Amino acid sequence: QVQLVESGGGSVQAGGSLRLSCAASGRAFSSLAMAWFRQAPGKEREFVAAITENGARTIYEDSVKGRFTISRDNAHDTVYLRMTSLKPEDTAVYYCNSGVLHYSGPYYPGNRWGQGTQVTVSS
């Protein structure tokens, strides 16, 4: 089983930037597609971005396209989420997840989640 640990959250003003990290252990990271999800207070957890095992394909939720970038470093078993032009509506707990992403179609989440990292964006 893979273990996932997120970090990098914090409080920023609107328009600011953050980079989240998710460190994986316990299974060959390079065999896993990875994704970021987020959950705002009172709302369901929602998909943000995903990346294939080798980084060749990335997909994004519409509201973050052009502002967020998902990437990975297989040598260091880490996936990143670079967030720019942050908005108050981006405020949420951000989670990483290991799952399945083919070269077409949606991301299929697995059952492994990290503990989450809080991102708060003030106006």
Side-chain angles (χ1 to χ4, degrees):
Q1 296 281 11
V2 64
Q3 288 80 45
L4 304 170
V5 178
E6 303 95 336
S7 61
S11 297
V12 297
Q13 291 190 328
S17 300
L18 284 172
R19 189 180 79 159
L20 307 183
S21 300
C22 173
S25 62
R27 183 178 167 179
F29 179 74
S30 60
S31 69
L32 300 170
M34 298 296 298
W36 288 95
F37 286 72
R38 65 186 179 186
Q39 187 167 19
K43 295 187 176 181
E44 293 188 354
R45 191 170 299 186
E46 67 174 0
F47 171 80
V48 175
I51 188 168
T52 51
E53 293 87 334
N54 62 2
R57 181 184 182 220
T58 57
I59 58 173
Y60 297 91
E61 191 271 329
D62 285 348
S63 70
V64 308
K65 285 180 181 177
R67 300 189 299 121
F68 291 11
T69 303
I70 188 170
S71 62
R72 65 190 297 157
D73 181 349
N74 286 350
H76 294 92
D77 295 351
T78 302
V79 62
Y80 302 100
L81 186 68
R82 175 68 174 168
M83 306 185 295
T84 64
S85 301
L86 282 161
K87 304 175 180 180
E89 51 264 43
D90 295 318
T91 295
V93 178
Y94 284 71
Y95 299 88
C96 66
N97 175 264
S98 60
V100 175
L101 179 65
H102 300 299
Y103 285 96
S104 64
Y107 175 77
Y108 298 96
N111 60 3
R112 305 301 295 180
W113 299 89
Q115 83 289 350
T117 186
Q118 176 71 48
V119 172
T120 302
V121 185
S122 59
S123 57

